[in-house]
Amino acid sequence: MKHRFSFLVGISIVIVVLIFLPTGFEGALQFKDAEKCKVLVEEVDNSSLIDTGLIRTGQQICKVRFLTGRFEGQTSFG
């Protein structure tokens, strides 16, 4: 019983430490000035996807039309 309790305390301490451990994405500059907006997905290209059973890898390219925001009405691929 004592062994289980010490194990649970040890795991709990590890979890708390991991929760407060910085990840490096706190001040990510990549999306700092990004504008959130709604889009409509018009086309999807899955030709670059590799299906290996449960896992699919590769690149999916979408054509989207911006419905709101600064780019409203414009179309983009990505």
Side-chain angles (χ1 to χ4, degrees):
M1 183 78 166
K2 185 177 180 181
H3 179 66
R4 273 192 185 170
F5 180 73
S6 62
F7 176 75
L8 288 175
V9 169
I11 292 297
S12 299
I13 291 171
V14 169
I15 290 173
V16 169
V17 167
L18 288 175
I19 287 173
F20 291 105
L21 193 67
T23 62
F25 291 101
E26 291 81 15
L29 297 177
Q30 184 177 3
F31 302 111
K32 189 174 184 178
D33 296 325
E35 179 180 341
K36 293 183 180 180
C37 60
K38 292 184 180 183
V39 299
L40 175 67
V41 178
E42 295 182 339
E43 293 178 21
V44 178
D45 179 10
N46 292 333
S47 62
S48 299
L49 291 180
I50 300 168
D51 193 359
T52 58
L54 293 175
I55 300 172
R56 291 184 179 162
T57 59
Q59 184 178 18
Q60 181 183 48
I61 300 172
C62 300
K63 177 182 177 185
V64 297
R65 183 167 37 103
F66 293 93
L67 301 177
T68 61
R70 182 172 43 173
F71 304 106
E72 184 175 355
Q74 296 182 19
T75 306
S76 180
F77 288 92

